[in-house]
Amino acid sequence: MAKESATRKHKRKYRWLIALMIVAGAGAGFFWYSSQRVNFTETLQTVTVTHGDIENTITAVGILQPSSYVDVGAQVSGQLKSLKAAVGDGVESGQLLAEIDPRIYVARVDEAKATLENLRAQLKIKKAQLVLWSKQHARHEELRIQDALAESEVEVSEASLATARAEIEAINAQIRQAEAALENATVNLGYTKISAPMTGTVVSISASEGQTLNANQQTPIILRIADMDVMTVWTQVSEADVMRLKNGQEAYFTVLGQPHRSWHGRLRQVLPTPEIVNNVTFYNALFDVPNPEHELKVQMTAQVFFVLEKAQQALLVPVSALDPAGSQGGETKLDGATHSQTDSTTAAEDRGRASSVQVLKPDGTVEKRMVRVGVMSHVYVEIISGLQEGEKVVTGTGTQAAKKANGGGLGAGKTRGRL
């Protein structure tokens, strides 16, 4: 019994020792967790008011085309004997570009000339006959007066004279017809030499040497000449934006090859007939830009911007700095005037309207301030009054993680940063 009692005492002591170790371990773990835990505190995101340029624009996609061009075709049929220009060549007005085999047309000119010469020879014969019949009819008239010739003979000579005159008129008409045929044959012969109708650059060739051209049904196109000194931007503008475009409006664009360079022009025309693309209605807006170095090429894609309004060296803040609650509904008095507050997205259409921002003051406090807004883009908005350069405006809130600092394990003190 004494041995059993000693064994129980030993077990109770062992259990107490284990419990003490567990408590000590839990305490150490809690202390380590407390020293390492992270506090998440709410912070203010701010932006400094700065000066800069701002634009409110309509963005669209366009295609570059020459301001003027002409498709050069063949007016007569035949084999293309020679082609004297290549794509990219500059040509002058009147310069020979191509030649069609002229032999058939030379033969037609010779034939027309021979026909005309034959008719002119016949005319000489008829004129000589007319002189003869005129003299004979005159003698018959004298003889009839003297009753020395029958009346029937006089009538025959008179009819012969009229016939001779009519034959001359008919030959004269045939001569005019032959002259027209000769002129037509000569013109067609001239069409075998195809010249440039304008000064420009050859941008495409549709035929090749040796090809037979058939001009009987439609004019076959040989090449296209374009004036590359001035390019026209054909821009597709959606029907939602086209009502805001006006002739003379400033426009500019960039191309993929030089995204940091822009070309500027003025809106010339909005075509009245739309194009339907995937059930979406677009209108073509056109404006011209000079291209003296021919850097811009045909069919280049252009990212186009039509400027609705702009401001230079204006006070700018992000659109996110505007207080939505202070910009919707109601009326706000500012500088002695009353302004109706609308949604901030319409600020560009209501220049000078009132809105509000939150300003972070140097002492760390936040002040709600009324401002006048002007030009608004997708990112920034112009501040007409109410703010000064260098002030900080609140654009949003966020969270900041801060470790709980410790003093060598003997305690901890909280730290907090200020924006």
Side-chain angles (χ1 to χ4, degrees), residues 321-377:
L322 297 181
D323 184 5
S327 303
Q328 294 178 353
E331 293 184 344
T332 302
K333 280 196 171 182
L334 188 62
D335 297 338
T338 300
H339 298 272
S340 176
Q341 296 179 348
T342 58
D343 188 86
S344 61
T345 58
T346 62
E349 301 173 0
D350 189 10
R351 182 176 178 85
R353 73 174 179 83
S355 185
S356 66
V357 297
Q358 296 186 63
V359 181
L360 183 64
K361 302 177 69 174
D363 60 2
T365 60
V366 176
E367 173 192 2
K368 183 176 181 180
R369 190 179 301 175
M370 303 308 300
V371 295
R372 288 184 188 274
V373 298
V375 180
M376 179 182 289
S377 68

Side-chain angles (χ1 to χ4, degrees), residues 202-221:
V202 178
V203 295
S204 66
I205 294 179
S206 307
S208 57
E209 290 185 0
Q211 181 177 340
T212 300
L213 307 176
N214 184 3
N216 294 327
Q217 296 180 349
Q218 62 181 8
T219 302
I221 303 302

